[in-house]
């Protein structure tokens, strides 16, 4: 019989599409392996993680190049429905290599509304975490409608962090954090610390970088990070392709941009 355990810390990690894909917009499994390796190392340090993973739509596109659906919502639903099991197959195999277990948790926004849906979500996460099973969460794109969709997976990550009383939220992207100018500009500097009332949105500039099928962006990440930090959950925006980024943040190293509530 499994013995329930209360881990020293709980960390929610959101990994975006741009972190896990290459220039051809295909899933890079070695990047997923590096993420899993870091989660496994934290597990040995008595820190349990929840992974909010994008990628299902891209994974579906990889095998459905001939999809002729014109309606963008239906097309996204089909891609996601095909891609979700492909992503979970990757994660199941990778975690298995480390002797760990993972589980899929799909949700729509209404599942976080006060009431039975939210209570069921809490029970699910608590059951998994107390058994040392890593929940891998994503929006249920196959059934989500406009009124029950998350703005993006950053919002889902924030809601999960609040739901499980996380000690930190890490939003992984393909830039090093929040800059005081365009990230590609040599004169731009990384902003290491941001308070919830600090106006850094003014520095966010649009980029021509291809976003694939992702819906989020830096402005979304800052908004979500501030809302999460205001609930006393320190939030970090960092480069998911940086070596040991998750482990370093979890161990208090000065990596990426930290958003916090003043007084924490």
């Amino acid at each position: 019989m499994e013995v329930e355990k209360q881990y020293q810390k709980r960390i929610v990690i959101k990994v975006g599409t741009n972190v896990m894909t290459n220039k051809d917009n295909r899933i890079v499994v070695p990047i997923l392996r590096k993420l899993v390796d870091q989660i496994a190392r934290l597990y040995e340090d008595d820190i349990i993680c929840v992974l909010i993973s994008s990628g299902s739509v891209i994974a579906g596109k990889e095998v459905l190049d001939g999809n002729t659906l014109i309606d963008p919502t239906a097309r996204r639903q089909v891609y996601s429905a095909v891609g979700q099991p492909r992503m979970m197959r990757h994660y199941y195999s990778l975690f298995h290599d480390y002797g760990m277990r993972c589980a899929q948790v799909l949700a729509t926004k209404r599942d976080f509304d006060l009431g039975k849906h939210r209570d069921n979500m809490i029970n699910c996460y608590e059951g998994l975490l107390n058994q040392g099973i890593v929940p891998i969460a994503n929006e249920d794109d196959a059934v989500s409608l406009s009124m029950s969709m998350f703005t993006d997976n950053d919002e889902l990550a924030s809601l999960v962090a609040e739901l499980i009383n996380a000690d930190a939220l890490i939003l992984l992207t393909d830039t090093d954090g929040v800059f005081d100018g365009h990230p590609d500009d040599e004169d731009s500097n990384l902003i290491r610390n941001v308070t919830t009332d600090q106006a850094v949105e003014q520095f966010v500039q649009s980029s021509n970088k291809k976003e694939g099928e992702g819906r989020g962006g830096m402005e979304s990440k800052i908004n979500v990070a501030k809302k999460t930090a205001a609930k006393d959950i320190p939030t970090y925006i960092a480069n998911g392709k940086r070596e040991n980024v998750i482990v370093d943040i979890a161990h208090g190293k000065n990596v990426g941009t930290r958003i916090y509530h003043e007084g924490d």
Side-chain angles (χ1 to χ4, degrees):
M1 179 179 293
E2 299 285 352
V3 178
E4 290 193 358
K5 177 179 178 179
Q6 294 296 321
Y7 290 83
Q8 181 182 356
K9 288 184 180 179
R10 294 178 170 188
I11 295 178
V12 175
I13 303 159
K14 183 263 181 176
V15 54
T17 302
N18 287 334
V19 173
M20 62 176 65
T21 54
N22 59 19
K23 63 180 181 180
D24 297 320
N25 219 26
R26 299 183 69 85
I27 303 295
V28 181
V29 176
I31 291 178
L32 300 183
R33 179 176 293 279
K34 287 185 178 182
L35 294 170
V36 171
D37 175 79
Q38 292 179 77
I39 292 172
R41 286 156 60 192
L42 291 181
Y43 184 82
E44 293 298 318
D45 291 337
D46 207 23
I47 299 172
I48 190 76
C49 297
V50 176
L51 181 61
I52 313 297
S53 176
S54 302
S56 63
V57 174
I58 294 295
K61 286 184 69 175
E62 288 180 353
V63 295
L64 291 176
D65 288 338
N67 187 346
T68 58
L69 288 169
I70 297 175
D71 180 80
T73 301
R75 186 167 63 245
R76 186 180 181 85
Q77 287 175 311
V78 170
Y79 283 149
S80 179
V82 172
Q84 279 290 355
R86 294 193 72 223
M87 289 301 297
M88 285 307 300
R89 183 176 64 186
H90 288 317
Y91 282 125
Y92 180 88
S93 176
L94 292 170
F95 276 107
H96 184 267
D97 289 345
Y98 288 89
M100 296 179 66
R101 297 166 297 171
C102 63
Q104 183 179 52
V105 182
L106 299 178
T108 62
K109 197 168 183 177
R110 63 188 176 190
D111 291 321
F112 291 88
D113 292 340
L114 292 176
K116 291 184 178 179
H117 282 283
R118 182 181 176 85
D119 291 342
N120 284 336
M121 289 286 286
I122 292 173
N123 289 338
C124 176
Y125 276 102
E126 290 297 328
L128 292 170
L129 294 172
N130 290 337
Q131 296 292 327
I133 301 170
V134 177
I136 300 177
N138 196 3
E139 179 171 14
D140 196 350
D141 288 311
V143 300
S144 288
L145 300 173
S146 58
M147 69 286 293
S148 61
M149 290 177 65
F150 301 100
T151 305
D152 48 44
N153 269 351
D154 297 324
E155 182 183 23
L156 170 59
S158 176
L159 290 169
V160 171
E162 180 185 3
L163 190 80
I164 68 167
N165 296 314
D167 295 283
L169 168 63
I170 301 174
L171 302 175
L172 296 179
T173 183
D174 58 350
T175 59
D176 291 333
V178 180
F179 285 80
D180 59 5
H182 195 284
D184 295 334
D185 192 335
E186 290 183 1
D187 295 328
S188 296
N189 298 300
L190 178 65
I191 305 173
R192 291 291 184 182
N193 294 285
V194 174
T195 62
T196 52
D197 59 357
Q198 187 176 344
V200 294
E201 290 84 353
Q202 60 182 313
F203 300 124
V204 177
Q205 301 180 30
S206 61
S207 170
N208 293 323
K209 190 179 298 181
K210 185 177 180 182
E211 292 293 335
E213 292 287 333
R215 301 204 300 272
M218 186 55 72
E219 186 173 2
S220 166
K221 286 174 176 56
I222 293 173
N223 290 335
V224 164
K226 285 186 173 184
K227 290 178 181 177
T228 310
K231 296 169 183 173
D232 296 324
I233 302 173
T235 302
Y236 301 82
I237 300 174
N239 194 330
K241 295 183 179 180
R242 179 190 182 277
E243 290 293 324
N244 298 317
V245 59
I246 299 171
V247 172
D248 285 348
I249 290 174
H251 289 161
K253 292 188 178 180
N254 195 15
V255 176
T257 299
R258 172 178 174 253
I259 295 89
Y260 65 101
H261 183 61
E262 204 159 23
D264 289 353

